[in-house]
């Protein structure tokens, strides 16, 4: 399946990169390494899909963020035990 860049409309590819995310309580930001990303071959834009963004935001809302250091991999973040089963404050779905 061909991936199209959301910014310029040209061909893009799946990749991974590091992102920096502010915790929901606003106390600090963390680095999330090896995060799924889309990278455009033409405009060189690197970005996360809406789905990955939502997964990160939900997970950070549902885990004990005090147990996260300055940096964590995407897979490690998604594997952290949740305090709640789901984000009960998300009314978008």
């Amino acid at each position: 399946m061909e991936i199209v860049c959301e910014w310029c409309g040209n061909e893009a590819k799946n990749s991974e990169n590091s992102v920096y995310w502010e915790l929901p309580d606003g106390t600090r930001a963390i680095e999330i390494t090896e995060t799924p990303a889309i990278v455009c071959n033409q405009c060189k834009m690197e970005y996360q899909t809406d789905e990955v963004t939502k997964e990160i935001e939900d997970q950070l809302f549902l885990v004990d963020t005090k147990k996260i250091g300055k940096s964590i991999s995407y897979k490690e973040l998604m594997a952290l035990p949740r305090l709640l089963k789901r984000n009960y404050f998300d009314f978008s779905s």
Side-chain angles (χ1 to χ4, degrees):
M1 180 174 114
E2 184 177 317
I3 300 172
V4 176
C5 176
E6 292 180 16
W7 294 88
C8 71
N10 289 300
E11 183 180 346
K13 63 182 178 182
N14 286 314
S15 187
E16 292 180 343
N17 62 11
S18 292
V19 296
Y20 298 88
W21 224 272
E22 183 177 354
L23 296 180
D25 63 6
T27 56
R28 63 192 173 103
I30 60 169
E31 176 186 32
I32 306 170
T33 61
E34 302 171 26
T35 306
I38 304 294
V39 176
C40 179
N41 299 327
Q42 184 69 32
C43 71
K44 307 300 183 202
M45 179 61 84
E46 296 183 20
Y47 61 93
Q48 278 60 48
T49 63
D50 291 341
E51 293 81 16
V52 169
T53 299
K54 181 167 178 16
E55 287 175 356
I56 292 171
E57 290 178 351
D58 283 349
Q59 187 71 348
L60 288 174
F61 188 75
L62 298 171
V63 300
D64 184 358
T65 57
K66 293 179 179 89
K67 295 182 179 180
I68 301 174
K70 292 180 180 181
S71 182
I72 189 170
S73 76
Y74 176 80
K75 288 180 182 177
E76 290 171 330
L77 174 63
M78 292 302 138
L80 289 175
R82 291 180 168 193
L83 302 173
L84 298 170
K85 290 182 181 180
R86 66 180 192 91
N87 184 350
Y88 293 100
F89 300 101
D90 178 10
F91 303 107
S92 64
S93 43

